[in-house]
Amino acid sequence: MIVGWTPDLKRWGKPHYLAIAEALADDIRTARLTPGTRLPTQRALAEALDLNFTTVSRGYVEAQKRGLIEGRVGQGTFVVDPALSTRPSGSTGAPRVGPVDFTMNLPPEPDVPALRARMQAAFADLSGDLANLLRYQGFGGTDADKEAALRWLAGRGVETTRERLLICPGAHSALSSVLGQVARPGDTICAEHITYPGIRALAAHLGLRLVDLPMDRHGVDPDAFAAACTRIAPKAIYLNPLLQNPTTATLPRARREAVIAVARRYAVAIIEDDAYAHICPAPPPSFAELAPEITYYVAGLAKCLGAGLRLAFLVAPSARSALPLAGALRAATVMASPISTALATRWIMDGTADAVVQCVREESAARQRIVASRLPAGTYTADPNGFHVWITLPEGWTRSAFASQGRAAGLGVVGSDPFCVAGTPPEAARLCLGGPSTRQQIAHGLDVLAHALEGSPALASTYI
């Protein structure tokens, strides 16, 4: 049953979105609304109450937080039976649709019971060697750890030796050590105009000058890189060339080869942050494969297996260049966590890691299909294999207004500011589709944002 529910919001004396939740609670308590009743769509209620869509959406989100209603993708919004409002997430019943955080760039979490059980069993098995794992270990991991790392890298086409390989406690520690070796305070590093915020933070921390290079939908411009080399003599170029965070651009092979030619001509090191190395089923060859003698290759596991697994594999251009990197890493971090390393080794060697990656690929593809069904074509860039989206805002919209609109509806959105190396940031934003959010939550959040972009940005103002 569907009702033409039009509550009187004035009686509550609260902001409209809170008044909607209060009215729902009161009508459910007094049985004017019964469990299973289908409520008006958010658009219909907004028209009936002469409110904007975002206000009504925010009211429904607040009611969902209170366990009063639930959204069912493709069906609508329904009143919840109070007896079931606190049921555990693993119980049966229609999936809830609540707030979603689009800010943190995490892979989708595997939701296949057999795979989750397999992952947990491997973690439990480590307890048999817990005493050893809680002790200091030799730097760089055991022979078994390095064997697993070499296997993981070979799956990306990166063939190397143990002498060039370092196991690090996360990609940030690897990047920090590389930057500290190739440059000194005051030196220049090149990066894409829109780039990963972490490299901006590390460059600032180390006193390095970060210079931006123009880019297009295929990534960095090799000719601009060559011009920068003659003008400022950079020590290195940092690139996130596969499913770039945040623009989703992937450098094709021809452009990679053009960048390599420039780097070789001007003796510039290449720092390759291959965070999404295993997500693409058929990626272009890495810089480490095409130009191993000038590439510092970093393969973190956070974007492939999980952000909490703080581990990365660093491949130096040579065994000689690996020695000072090892010293820097040892001084700054002592060692990678033996527990994290042992877990990663187990997962890689028994095939669990490959199964997780396949699950991430499939779920990312499903979520990208949701994006394509919600956001207008031409308003965003994405990769079918990725789990983030780069939105170019329509004329009249600002990134701050868009982020504000998202917050008002309980959605986390990141504007372009933290990604821009220099100059005025573009009116754009990044949406992340992974983490614990469900497909239902993502679909709901995208519906809210898509509707907001259809209207005037003046409606996004939340200040009085």
Side-chain angles (χ1 to χ4, degrees), residues 51-68:
L51 298 174
N52 68 58
F53 179 88
T54 301
T55 298
V56 174
S57 176
R58 193 176 180 188
Y60 273 31
V61 166
E62 178 63 27
Q64 288 165 352
K65 289 179 181 178
R66 301 183 188 186
L68 302 173

Side-chain angles (χ1 to χ4, degrees), residues 283-352:
S286 67
F287 283 92
E289 184 178 354
L290 297 173
E293 79 286 358
I294 59 171
T295 300
Y296 291 85
Y297 179 81
V298 179
L301 300 185
K303 299 297 190 287
C304 298
L305 302 181
L309 195 64
R310 304 305 303 160
L311 206 69
F313 304 139
L314 168 59
V315 179
S318 65
R320 181 175 180 179
S321 59
L323 293 175
L325 283 175
L329 281 163
R330 188 182 294 108
T333 67
V334 181
M335 62 181 181
S337 164
I339 296 175
S340 294
T341 307
L343 182 62
T345 294
R346 176 74 63 89
W347 282 355
I348 292 170
M349 298 306 286
D350 70 9
T352 301

Side-chain angles (χ1 to χ4, degrees), residues 20-59:
I20 290 172
E22 294 290 353
L24 278 167
D26 187 62
D27 285 354
I28 292 170
R29 180 180 57 81
T30 58
R32 287 190 290 269
L33 289 174
T34 57
T37 298
R38 182 180 174 187
L39 294 171
T41 66
Q42 296 173 36
R43 189 184 299 271
L45 186 59
E47 292 176 354
L49 298 177
D50 195 25
L51 298 174
N52 68 58
F53 179 88
T54 301
T55 298
V56 174
S57 176
R58 193 176 180 188

